[in-house]
Amino acid sequence: EPHVFHRYARRLAGEIRATGARPVFYLTWARSHAPENQAALDAAYRSIAEEVGGIVAPVGPAWQRARGDPQAPELFHEDGSHPSPAGSYLAACTFYATLTGVSPLGLPTVVSGPGVDERGEVGALTTLVEMARPAAELLQRAAWGALTPSAAAPSLRPGSGGARIALPAPGRGER
């Protein structure tokens, strides 16, 4: 229900603005069985972001772009709703591009960090996502294309290909 979403988004946006920050809206993807819902999601998120002066991280449109390519890795977990590791990688690339304004093309293809089990317990450092370079580049281009649909394909930044990125382990009390 967009009106319920908008009511609570306005409240949260007010709290966020009160701290001096700007709201960022995670425009999610339509479920695998209902891709026709993406346009409604896009409209709901973009309209509230415009109303409250927020930013949209267009993850859903990036998914839509990637899913249009027959070479794209599977983005959905088997439940058809949650992301697979590749879907999470695409979301991360989209947030990277949204928040930095820099193309994600050439970002690392391996991401490591603390593992989390089914109970939500944080464990040892592990590889969270490991993408083949062609699949990673396809997702990176989809993320950038969702932000800059008319832009030419970005070029690789020198020295960025194939590197690893490690996420810090959470401190006490963080999850």
Side-chain angles (χ1 to χ4, degrees):
E1 297 292 322
H3 67 283
V4 174
F5 165 55
H6 284 186
R7 179 176 24 171
Y8 288 101
R10 284 183 199 99
R11 288 181 186 174
L12 287 171
E15 295 294 322
I16 292 165
R17 288 267 184 216
T19 70
R22 188 171 180 197
V24 178
F25 290 89
Y26 185 162
L27 194 174
T28 190
W29 52 89
R31 304 307 174 245
S32 64
H33 68 277
E36 67 279 2
N37 291 342
Q38 191 62 54
L41 288 166
D42 293 356
Y45 280 83
R46 291 183 192 283
S47 66
I48 193 63
E50 184 176 336
E51 178 184 322
V52 301
I55 300 166
V56 172
V59 177
W63 274 48
Q64 193 172 34
R65 292 175 78 83
R67 290 186 74 202
D69 188 317
Q71 300 301 311
E74 180 56 53
L75 301 178
F76 288 99
H77 181 271
E78 62 191 28
D79 66 5
S81 178
H82 294 91
S84 68
S88 293
Y89 183 85
L90 176 52
C93 288
T94 306
F95 268 94
Y96 173 86
T98 299
L99 297 174
T100 66
V102 175
S103 167
L105 191 61
L107 286 177
T109 62
V110 178
V111 180
S112 61
V116 179
D117 68 18
E118 294 79 27
R119 297 180 319 272
E121 299 293 323
V122 177
L125 291 179
T126 186
T127 297
L128 301 172
V129 177
E130 187 168 0
M131 304 285 302
R133 171 63 52 198
E137 287 181 358
L138 185 152
L139 299 179
Q140 293 163 359
R141 288 181 198 284
W144 188 243
L147 270 78
T148 58
S150 62
S155 59
L156 283 169
R157 294 185 314 269
S160 62
R164 297 177 66 94
I165 187 167
L167 304 174
R172 280 181 220 246
E174 294 179 341
R175 291 245 173 199

